[in-house]
Amino acid sequence: MDTITDPTRHRILTGDRPTGRLHLGHYFGTLQNRVRLQDIGVELYVVIADYQVLTDRDVADDLTGHVEELVLDYLAAGVDPARATIFTHSAVPALNQLLLPFLSLVSVAELSRNPTVKDEIAHSRQSAVSGLMFTYPVHQAADILFCKADLVPVGQDQLPHLELTRTIARRFNDRYGAGVFPEPEALLSKAPLLLGTDGTKMSKSRGNAITLAAGADETARLIKRAKTDTDRHIGYDPVGRPEVSSLLLLAALCLDRTPSQVAHSIGAAGSAALKKVVTEAVNEYLAPIRARRAEYARDRAYLRTVLREGNERARAVADTTLAEVRAAMNSL
Ligand code: ATP
Ligand code: MG
């Protein structure tokens, strides 16, 4: 990211599934990078992937509520709708139309061996796997390529999806005309895979997350029950001691220190002392974000305006790209 010399030459797209409130994994995995780049002048697009929750029935029942919660999290974290475009992909028909030519560029075998899809299927709590689920990575390619983004701030779990987006861009360009799409690059943060309280990837849908919106007491309670180990000497060793190391990383990010420095300050005081440090660091770091969130939450009409304007901007961009795609394909 430090290599960005001319912010106006880049465009970022990234986003989230509206499956619940955003958590610390999102914040330190991607959201903070989005805001940082927006603030130095890179154009930012944020997609709320509402078609990708049709497979989660419990969420789909209150989609509007979930979408508004995401907008709140974005605004609280510093995404500025005057500069950034926040949109739902279901509201942008031309984006979705890209799915058809893109699907023709990938094989069923490629889709079914995608590790992120496999993992999402494993956690989907559905008895049957829908066809839509297999198209998620291709849909994500449409999300990224409709606005010709070249940088995608994501967590580690999304790297296979991004690789497929690069493949689709390359194959499209090879078949229909050079230079229509860029091959976007992933932008990983210092926390590409923050662990949840159970020691697996912090996820909205796994009940192991500390949300940005959580209260200070709830945060303390959640961190208290986080999985650690029995070694009283606290040390940073992501491979040998993943749970303790993820907590150290979390505190370090909040305190603007290194995980080793935080470990050193705790020494042999054990997991309880580590959790106390983490709780205080997280609550202090999130306090202004939580205050802003509560402020924005009072004005639901404003959230809808942000989305309406974002959707309009995204539609204009998607129409232009689709026209270019159709011309390249001699369409149809
Ligand atoms: P779900 O469980 O519904 O899939 P999620 O918590 O995995 O939700 P997504 O909406 O799938 O969240 O992911 C949004 C973005 O946040 C992606 O770029 C993803 O890589 C990133 N992200 C999610 N969880 C983490 C995490 N624990 N650490 C780092 N990045 C994360
Ligand atoms: Mg996910």
Side-chain angles (χ1 to χ4, degrees):
M1 198 166 52
D2 296 323
T3 55
I4 290 181
T5 45
D6 181 1
T8 60
R9 292 184 50 205
H10 298 280
R11 187 177 269 187
I12 297 173
L13 178 126
T14 187
D16 310 278
R17 306 194 320 135
T19 45
R21 292 172 168 181
L22 294 185
H23 51 66
L24 288 165
H26 296 113
Y27 186 82
F28 288 114
T30 134
L31 196 46
Q32 194 185 41
N33 263 344
R34 303 176 196 178
V35 173
R36 218 180 270 165
L37 290 165
Q38 165 200 269
D39 289 348
I40 62 165
V42 184
E43 200 180 349
L44 172 65
Y45 286 78
V46 184
V47 60
I48 297 178
D50 53 349
Y51 272 147
Q52 291 196 3
V53 301
L54 291 177
T55 43
D56 306 48
R57 226 359 102 70
D58 43 341
V59 176
D61 286 346
D62 179 25
L63 202 48
T64 312
H66 281 91
V67 168
E68 286 181 10
E69 290 297 314
L70 271 193
V71 178
L72 271 179
D73 283 324
Y74 296 149
L75 299 178
V79 175
D80 172 9
R83 289 179 283 175
T85 300
I86 301 173
F87 68 100
T88 49
H89 62 188
S90 71
V92 187
L95 181 160
N96 292 291
Q97 204 171 326
L98 294 176
L99 211 56
L100 298 176
F102 287 1
L103 276 168
S104 75
L105 297 169
V106 293
S107 70
V108 171
E110 276 173 310
L111 295 178
S112 47
R113 66 169 175 257
N114 180 301
T116 312
V117 171
K118 280 192 190 159
D119 195 51
E120 283 171 354
I121 287 171
H123 288 91
S124 72
R125 295 169 301 193
Q126 305 291 324
S127 50
V129 177
S130 71
L132 181 66
M133 202 123 197
F134 282 100
T135 68
Y136 279 3
V138 185
H139 209 152
Q140 191 161 310
D143 289 338
I144 296 169
L145 296 177
F146 95 97
C147 66
K148 304 192 178 185
D150 68 322
L151 279 178
V152 190
V154 280
Q156 189 176 295
D157 61 303
Q158 296 298 315
L159 292 182
H161 279 6
L162 202 73
E163 207 39 59
L164 193 71
T165 298
R166 292 166 57 82
T167 302
I168 288 173
R170 199 164 48 240
R171 288 181 188 163
F172 187 94
N173 291 343
D174 284 349
R175 191 174 298 180
Y176 298 113
V180 175
F181 291 115
E183 277 184 51
E185 281 179 33
L187 188 69
L188 290 178
S189 73
K190 283 184 193 158
L193 182 62
L194 198 74
L195 301 184
T197 50
D198 61 354
T200 73
K201 171 185 170 293
M202 189 179 283
S203 280
K204 295 190 221 94
S205 44
R206 293 185 197 179
N208 66 357
I210 299 159
T211 64
L212 302 182
D217 292 346
E218 188 190 348
T219 302
R221 217 168 35 247
L222 291 169
I223 293 175
K224 200 171 237 169
R225 67 159 206 241
K227 192 172 168 205
T228 50
D229 56 45
T230 50
D231 186 346
R232 285 194 63 77
H233 192 273
I234 300 303
Y236 186 61
D237 171 10
V239 176
R241 302 177 71 187
E243 298 91 358
V244 162
S245 299
S246 193
L247 284 171
L248 284 169
L249 176 62
L250 179 54
L253 290 165
C254 293
L255 297 167
D256 201 15
R257 300 173 72 185
T258 68
S260 301
Q261 284 170 337
V262 179
H264 199 70
S265 73
I266 299 166
S271 292
L274 167 64
K275 289 177 179 179
K276 188 162 176 288
V277 169
V278 176
T279 301
E280 282 169 10
V282 167
N283 278 337
E284 190 160 329
Y285 187 90
L286 289 183
I289 293 176
R290 288 169 170 166
R292 276 199 298 274
R293 197 182 193 285
E295 196 62 36
Y296 283 120
R298 290 197 213 145
D299 192 354
R300 296 272 156 181
Y302 175 64
L303 305 181
R304 286 191 286 274
T305 305
V306 166
L307 273 176
R308 199 176 49 245
E309 292 177 358
N311 285 339
E312 256 165 49
R313 283 208 290 264
R315 274 196 288 269
V317 174
D319 287 345
T320 306
T321 302
L322 182 62
E324 202 180 332
V325 161
R326 288 166 61 92
M329 295 175 73
N330 279 331
S331 273
L332 290 182

